[in-house]
Amino acid sequence: MQFGSQAHPIVNRSQSSLNGALNQDLQPAGLRLLPGKALALLGGDVFLEGGNLTANGGRVSLGSVGANSTVALLPEFAFGYEQVSTFGDVLLTHGAQIDVSGSGGDVSVHSHNLYMADSSSITNYVLGLALPGTISLIAEDAIELNNSGIVFPHYFSVLKEGSQLDIVANRFALRNGSIVLGVALGAFGGGAQITISAADSIELTGANPTTPNYITASSIAGDGAGGDIVVNTRRLLVADGSQLESVTGGAGQGGDISINASERVDVVGKAPTSTASAAERVLLALGLQFDSTAMGQPSVSRIVATSGVEEVDSSGVTGPGGALTIRTDTLSIAEGAQVSVGSFSSADSGDLLLNARAVRLDTGAQISAATTAAGDGGNIRLSGLKTLVLRRGSTISTSAATGDELGDGGNISIDADFVVALPLEDSDIIANSTQGRGGNIDISTLGLYGIAPRRALSGNGTSDIDASSEFGISGTTAVNRTVTTPALSKTALATQTLNVSTAVTQRCGASGNRFVVSARGGIPLTPTDAMEAHSVMVDLGAEGVDDNDVNLSAGERLFVSPDVTGDRTLAEANGWQTDADGQVVLMAQRSHSESFSSLATQSLATQCSG
C-alpha cells in the first residue's frame, strides 16, 4: 500500500452497540468485526476519541505513517513498515478501548508516539482452551499510558504459555495509576511474558486517587507458573508506590524478572495514603474478592518476585518464588522502597542477583530475600561493586520465618571495593532466622566503614552485620579484606665499589641545548650563579650588588669579591669569615676540586671544538 503526498488522519468515535453487542469490559462494542477477522487502520495520525474497536479472537492493526510511505502486506494480514521513513501518532483518549479477547487475538501498533489516556485500554482475555494472544506496540519515540491500561489475563487455561506483550520504543512511561496486567488464573495456564525495550528510559510515576502504577506477569491460584518480565533500557525509574512484580499464587513456579539498565535504576517513595495497594487493584480488575483487612495500605515502590503476596492470605500457596536479576551501573533505593524476592507462603524464596558499579540504600530502603512462614530465605549476591552505601535505617536481609517455623535464612554475598554505613543510623546486613539456621554472610572488600559484625537487635541504633538464629543455629559471618601488604623484597648490594671511569663517559654533547628556569627562587639560573637568600629577596641586576647603594645588614648580604671589577660574576658562597665588626660574611672561594673540574671542562671543550 502506497500513500501519496498527504497521509490523512483516521478518527474513530464509535460507541455502537448493534444488537446489544458488548466488549469484554461490558462496554459498547463500537466498530465490531466477526470473530477471528482482521481490521487495519492505516493512514496519517490515528485517533480513537472514545471510540471502541472489537475483534474477538481477531487482529487489530493500527499504523500511522508519514507522506509518501509504502506499507507492505504480509501473510496472515500482517504489515511491514520497512519502507516507511516517517511515522505519525496514535492516540487513545476519552476511555477508548481495543478488545481482541478470544483465541489467538492480536493487537499491533506502529507509530512515532503512542499515547493512551482517560482510562483507555487494550484488552485480550483468553479463556480455557483458547490460544494465547499477542500485543505488539512499536514507537519511534514514546509510548505513554496515563491512567490507562493493557490487560491480557489467561483464565483456566490448560496451556502452559501465557500471552505475549512486546513494547519497543525510545521512551516508555506509566503515569497516574496505569497498569500492565498479564496474569494466569486457575488450571495450568502460565502467566504472560512481558518484554519492554526502551532505548532511553522507562518511568513509572504518579498515582491516581485509587491505585499506583503496576506491571505484573503473575499466576493466581492453580498450577500455572508466573510469567517472566524482561526490561531493557538506559534508565529505569519506579516511584510513587509503583510496582514491577512477578508472583506465583498457587503451586506453580514464580516467574523471573530480568532488568538490564545500562546507566541507572531508581526505586523510590510510596503512594499517597489514600491509594489502595497494587494487589487490590489486580484482584478487583480480575473480579476477585480482596481481603478487606489490607484495604487502605499504601504501596511502597518496589521491584519484586515472590511466592504469594503480603496483602492477602497466602498460606495455600506452594510454588517457590521466582528470581530477580538487575544489571546496571548505579542502583538507588530510597524512602522505604524495596528490591526483593521472597515468600509469603510455605514455599521457598527465589534468589536475587545485583550486578552494578554503585548501590545506595537510603531512608528505610530494603534489599531482601525473606520468607514469613516455613520456607527458606533466598540468596542475595551483590557483585562488581565499587561502593555499597547504607543510610538511615536501610537493610539488606535474607531473614526467614518470624514465628515458630523452621525456615533457614538465605546467604548474602557482597563483592564491593567499599562498604559504608554511618555507625549510629541502624542500617543492617542480616541473614538470620527464628527457629532454623541463620544464613551465611560473606563480604569481600577493600574497606568496611561504620558497620561491624554483631547482633542486630531491633532499634539498637547501631549498624550491624548479623547471621544469627534466635532459637536455632547461627550462620557464619566472614569479612575478607582484599588489600594485603606485600612482603618487602631484599636487594643484595654489590660487593665491589663503583668504577667511575666506566660509569661516567667523557664525550661531546649535542650543541644548541638549553635548560631554562623562569621566575625567581629555587634553582639558580646557571650552575655558577649564587642561590638566593631566603630572608630577603633582592634584585641583584645585571651588574651585581654595590654595597654602597644597597643598605643591607651583614647577615643579608652576598659577598662580592673586591678583586673583581667591570663585569662582575656572582658566585655561590662556600665559606664564611668574621669581619672587624664581628659580623659573619659569606665567602665564595674556588676550591682545588673546582679548579680541577674547570680544567677538565676546558680540556673537553677544546676536544669537542676541534
Side-chain angles (χ1 to χ4, degrees):
M1 292 174 289
Q2 187 172 10
F3 295 84
S5 59
Q6 290 185 338
H8 292 283
I10 299 175
V11 180
N12 174 41
R13 301 189 182 97
S14 176
Q15 285 285 317
S16 174
S17 182
L18 185 63
N19 297 324
L22 302 176
N23 62 19
Q24 186 63 44
D25 291 330
L26 303 181
Q27 298 298 314
L31 184 57
R32 176 172 174 248
L33 305 179
L34 294 175
K37 299 301 181 180
L39 170 68
L41 300 181
L42 304 179
D45 294 337
V46 177
F47 301 95
L48 272 63
E49 297 177 347
N52 296 340
L53 299 176
T54 303
N56 296 127
R59 177 188 294 268
V60 172
S61 299
L62 305 182
S64 176
V65 300
N68 301 313
S69 296
T70 300
V71 178
L73 179 60
L74 305 176
E76 300 183 5
F77 207 65
F79 299 93
Y81 295 87
E82 291 78 7
Q83 299 184 54
V84 177
S85 58
T86 59
F87 289 86
D89 297 332
V90 174
L91 289 82
L92 280 68
T93 58
H94 301 90
Q97 295 181 329
I98 299 174
D99 180 21
V100 293
S101 299
S103 183
D106 179 90
V107 176
S108 66
V109 178
H110 282 73
S111 62
H112 182 72
N113 294 299
L114 169 61
Y115 182 68
M116 299 173 59
D118 312 321
S119 298
S120 297
S121 64
I122 297 174
T123 57
N124 185 4
Y125 289 74
V126 178
L127 178 65
L129 296 176
L131 298 174
T134 61
I135 300 175
S136 176
L137 310 177
I138 301 175
E140 279 189 320
D141 188 18
I143 296 176
E144 179 175 328
L145 279 65
N146 192 328
N147 190 27
S148 297
I150 301 172
V151 181
F152 48 112
H154 212 173
Y155 286 96
F156 307 108
S157 173
V158 296
L159 303 176
K160 293 184 178 181
E161 298 297 328
S163 296
Q164 175 75 36
L165 169 65
D166 291 303
I167 294 175
V168 179
N170 184 46
R171 295 177 291 115
F172 175 69
L174 294 186
R175 306 196 190 282
N176 302 320
S178 296
I179 61 173
V180 174
L181 182 63
V183 299
L185 178 64
F188 300 98
Q193 306 298 307
I194 299 176
T195 302
I196 304 173
S197 298
D200 182 68
S201 63
I202 296 174
E203 295 184 356
L204 285 67
T205 59
N208 66 24
T210 58
T211 55
N213 302 294
Y214 193 54
I215 297 177
T216 185
S218 301
S219 172
I220 300 176
D223 297 328
D228 297 333
I229 300 175
V230 177
V231 173
N232 302 304
T233 189
R234 184 170 67 92
R235 295 178 292 111
L236 171 64
L237 171 62
V238 180
D240 304 318
S242 300
Q243 299 188 15
L244 196 158
E245 185 175 74
S246 181
V247 175
T248 178
Q253 169 74 43
D256 298 333
I257 299 176
S258 178
I259 295 175
N260 306 294
S262 60
E263 185 174 299
R264 64 180 300 117
V265 174
D266 292 281
V267 188
V268 58
K270 64 177 64 175
T273 55
S274 61
T275 302
S277 70
E280 177 182 354
R281 174 65 179 268
V282 172
L283 297 180
L284 292 179
L286 297 175
L288 302 177
Q289 183 64 40
F290 187 80
D291 183 358
S292 60
T293 60
M295 297 284 281
Q297 303 272 339
S299 294
V300 298
S301 300
R302 62 186 183 185
I303 301 174
V304 294
T306 63
S307 173
V309 290
E310 184 177 8
E311 295 90 344
V312 299
D313 181 8
S314 300
S315 58
V317 178
T318 58
L324 169 60
T325 302
I326 298 178
R327 301 178 182 89
T328 188
D329 181 81
T330 302
L331 170 63
S332 177
I333 312 169
E335 300 177 14
Q338 303 173 7
V339 170
S340 65
V341 293
S343 174
F344 300 96
S345 68
S346 59
D348 295 339
S349 167
D351 294 335
L352 192 158
L353 171 64
L354 300 178
N355 188 296
R357 181 186 59 84
V359 174
R360 181 184 178 90
L361 285 72
D362 201 346
T363 318
Q366 298 180 40
I367 293 176
S368 68
T371 63
T372 60
D376 292 338
N379 300 314
I380 295 177
R381 178 173 178 79
L382 281 66
S383 62
L385 274 66
K386 294 294 184 182
T387 57
L388 169 62
V389 178
L390 295 92
R391 294 293 314 276
R392 289 177 274 265
S394 297
T395 60
I396 298 175
S397 170
T398 61
S399 301
T402 57
D404 297 330
E405 305 294 345
L406 296 176
D408 294 336
N411 299 320
I412 298 176
S413 175
I414 298 174
D415 179 11
D417 287 354
F418 300 99
V419 179
V420 180
L422 265 65
L424 303 181
E425 287 191 346
D426 201 11
S427 295
D428 302 322
I429 299 175
I430 303 172
N432 57 25
S433 178
T434 303
Q435 298 285 348
R437 180 184 180 91
N440 300 320
I441 300 176
D442 189 341
I443 301 175
S444 298
T445 183
L446 301 177
L448 188 72
Y449 303 98
I451 187 169
R454 56 181 161 239
R455 191 69 182 272
L457 300 176
S458 177
N460 65 354
T462 59
S463 296
D464 312 312
I465 302 172
D466 183 10
S468 64
S469 177
E470 186 172 355
F471 301 107
I473 301 173
S474 296
T476 62
T477 299
V479 179
N480 306 306
R481 308 279 182 171
T482 56
V483 173
T484 59
T485 303
L488 297 177
S489 59
K490 297 181 179 180
T491 302
L493 298 177
T495 57
Q496 295 181 347
T497 59
L498 179 65
N499 186 345
V500 178
S501 64
T502 62
V504 179
T505 301
Q506 296 289 332
R507 64 175 61 182
C508 299
S511 63
N513 294 326
R514 295 189 306 154
F515 178 72
V516 178
V517 178
S518 298
R520 298 177 176 180
I523 303 174
L525 295 179
T526 67
T528 59
D529 284 350
M531 294 187 67
E532 293 186 335
H534 294 286
S535 57
V536 177
M537 182 176 291
V538 180
D539 191 350
L540 299 178
E543 298 299 329
V545 176
D546 189 338
D547 288 349
N548 297 322
D549 295 336
V550 182
N551 184 19
L552 298 176
S553 66
E556 296 170 337
R557 287 183 293 168
L558 293 176
F559 178 77
V560 179
S561 173
D563 297 334
V564 179
T565 59
D567 293 336
R568 293 176 290 177
T569 301
L570 298 178
E572 182 177 359
N574 58 12
W576 59 275
Q577 69 180 24
T578 305
D579 63 10
D581 297 329
Q583 300 295 323
V584 175
V585 180
L586 300 179
M587 305 292 295
Q589 298 176 343
R590 178 173 293 181
S591 66
H592 174 74
S593 60
E594 289 175 330
S595 300
F596 176 81
S597 175
S598 176
L599 291 173
T601 302
Q602 294 174 11
S603 175
L604 179 59
T606 302
Q607 296 175 21
C608 292
S609 62

